[in-house]
Amino acid sequence: MKMQSTPQVTQATGPVPLNFCIILYKDGRIDRLTDRPFDEYLSAIPNASIAWIDYSTQDDSTEIENIAQIAGFSKIPIPKLTTGFYSAYEDYDTELGIMLPSVTMKNERMSVHPLFVLIRDNFILTVHSGDINRLLRFSRYAQPFFKRIIADPTCDKITLMLERIIDENNDRNFEYLREIEMHGDAISKSLIEESIAKKKIAHNIYQMKHVLIDYLNVLWATKDVINSLQYGDADLITNDEKLLGRIGILSDNIERHIELSEQMSNVLSSGLEVMQSIYNNQLQSLNNRFALVTAYLTVLGTAFLVPNTIATIVGSGIYEGRIASEWYYMPLLILSTVVATGVSLAWVVHVWKKPANE
């Protein structure tokens, strides 16, 4: 028989613990354990009215299955839960498994980490990477929260806890939209800077649009999970309409941020259109310069063509050089040059002033 090993606890690098357990006992006592072995958390669950364990791992994708087995989750197919596109929802009557996307952003690059929420009986287990310890803030005031739900039925307690966990995760995800907006504003400002290469700006716009697409995928994936909770009729979730309405509020908040993200995407698309207009104007300006040079060359070429033709005829030997020695030869060349230049210039000006549709 294969022995199950206790999962390796990720040690805290600072004063803030990376794992904790909040326990509401049946007699109304509330206890908060921090940075303890995983087995110690589990041993307290049988005496609890409701318990919440938050556990950080070094590699959540490989350790989650072992942690779930040790915690007693036998029905949820963990490999199926981990292979969802940013989110997953698995309801097996007495057990409920959820995967939520958690966003981190650094140097304009967004990373999405899974937040696993496993529920059975009176027990909630959250497992995630150590890079997204966003539930620590909620854990600090979880004890007053537990005091308010002491008298509620177990399914209501579970629903309220799950709603707060999802809300806390969403709030941290929403914060990165402000950062994306700041980067978008910086890109918009760079459009008017002449010293910045337009090719670099176009690359930045594309990169930011790619981040926005991933961010929108995160929001839609979270909304799918919330809709499944609200309308999936899971046995572990309450049927109380008021509590389900609180979950619906989470969905409404996500919809508002989806609209804001799509507006930001439109702003970046407008920036690409501005870039295209700039390139078109530069190309048009270059074409105008070439057209002006061509016009000048046309005038000069026509101006010198007439006197050159006269000089060629006189020097061809037909008149045996007699005209070249006459006094009027040079004035004739000068006059023909002036007349040809004037005619060529008048013609070019006439063509420029002529409407394009004529």
Side-chain angles (χ1 to χ4, degrees):
M1 178 179 179
K2 184 178 179 181
M3 299 296 295
Q4 293 180 340
S5 59
T6 302
Q8 182 68 32
V9 176
T10 304
Q11 297 297 326
T13 57
V16 179
L18 293 181
N19 59 83
F20 57 84
C21 177
I22 312 294
I23 303 172
L24 171 62
Y25 291 100
K26 296 178 181 179
D27 59 3
R29 291 183 300 111
I30 301 173
D31 198 5
R32 183 175 188 266
L33 308 177
T34 59
D35 207 14
R36 305 286 182 87
F38 191 67
D39 289 340
E40 185 174 340
Y41 294 149
L42 294 177
S43 62
I45 293 177
N47 299 323
S49 173
I50 182 174
W52 171 32
I53 298 177
D54 182 80
Y55 199 81
S56 299
T57 66
Q58 295 179 344
D59 189 355
D60 48 16
S61 60
T62 58
E63 296 182 32
I64 178 61
E65 187 169 6
N66 186 36
I67 294 172
Q69 290 177 355
I70 294 174
F73 292 93
S74 58
K75 292 185 177 182
I76 300 174
I78 301 299
K80 185 177 180 181
L81 191 69
T82 59
T83 55
F85 180 70
Y86 285 164
S87 68
Y89 177 89
E90 297 294 333
D91 178 18
Y92 286 84
D93 297 332
T94 59
E95 295 182 10
L96 180 64
I98 296 171
M99 182 179 71
L100 295 169
S102 299
V103 173
T104 58
M105 192 169 181
K106 186 177 181 181
N107 297 327
E108 302 181 16
R109 295 186 179 275
M110 191 179 75
S111 301
V112 181
H113 305 273
L115 169 62
F116 298 100
V117 183
L118 306 180
I119 303 173
R120 65 173 175 83
D121 299 329
N122 61 338
F123 172 38
I124 297 179
L125 172 65
T126 53
V127 183
H128 53 80
S129 168
D131 297 329
I132 55 167
N133 291 313
R134 55 186 51 187
L135 297 177
L136 286 174
R137 183 173 61 183
F138 174 45
S139 71
R140 295 189 184 101
Y141 56 86
Q143 290 169 299
F145 177 81
F146 272 40
K147 290 180 180 178
R148 295 196 300 266
I149 64 174
I150 288 178
D152 293 338
T154 301
C155 61
D156 290 358
K157 296 175 184 176
I158 291 291
T159 304
L160 287 169
M161 277 296 303
L162 181 59
E163 183 264 336
R164 288 297 296 116
I165 291 172
I166 296 175
D167 186 41
E168 191 72 19
N169 184 65
N170 288 348
D171 286 343
R172 296 297 299 274
N173 287 343
F174 295 158
E175 291 176 1
Y176 290 102
L177 181 58
R178 301 187 185 96
E179 188 173 344
I180 294 174
E181 290 176 343
M182 292 176 60
H183 289 311
D185 183 67
I187 291 174
S188 299
K189 183 179 179 181
S190 64
L191 289 173
I192 62 176
E193 298 290 340
E194 296 292 339
S195 59
I196 302 179
K198 303 306 178 185
K199 183 177 181 180
K200 181 180 179 180
I201 297 176
H203 176 74
N204 292 338
I205 292 176
Y206 168 78
Q207 185 176 0
M208 190 54 58
K209 280 185 66 67
H210 181 71
V211 169
L212 263 177
I213 291 173
D214 285 341
Y215 186 76
L216 280 168
N217 286 335
V218 166
L219 295 181
W220 280 114
T222 307
K223 182 174 172 57
D224 288 342
V225 170
I226 293 175
N227 289 341
S228 297
L229 286 172
Q230 189 175 9
Y231 304 110
D233 197 24
D235 291 342
L236 293 174
I237 303 301
T238 183
N239 292 323
D240 186 276
E241 293 295 333
K242 183 178 179 180
L243 296 183
L244 292 178
R246 296 183 59 168
I247 296 178
I249 294 175
L250 298 180
S251 181
D252 295 338
N253 291 336
I254 291 179
E255 288 181 358
R256 283 194 291 269
H257 281 78
I258 289 175
E259 292 176 358
L260 292 174
S261 301
E262 290 176 344
Q263 291 176 5
M264 187 63 194
S265 179
N266 293 333
V267 170
L268 291 176
S269 298
S270 300
L272 288 175
E273 293 176 0
V274 170
M275 290 291 300
Q276 185 65 39
S277 299
I278 291 174
Y279 284 129
N280 290 339
N281 291 338
Q282 291 176 345
L283 182 60
Q284 185 63 39
S285 177
L286 184 63
N287 291 337
N288 292 340
R289 292 181 181 180
F290 277 117
L292 185 61
V293 171
T294 302
Y296 282 133
L297 292 177
T298 300
V299 172
L300 292 176
T302 305
F304 287 102
L305 179 62
V306 175
N308 183 66
T309 302
I310 294 174
T312 301
I313 294 174
V314 171
S316 64
I318 298 176
Y319 298 101
E320 299 178 354
R322 293 192 304 273
I323 297 179
S325 61
E326 297 294 335
W327 64 269
Y328 55 82
Y329 179 67
M330 287 303 297
L332 177 62
L333 293 180
I334 295 173
L335 178 62
S336 62
T337 301
V338 172
V339 172
T341 301
V343 172
S344 300
L345 183 60
W347 174 255
V348 170
V349 171
H350 172 72
V351 172
W352 277 352
K353 291 184 177 180
K354 188 176 181 181
N357 57 356
E358 291 186 4

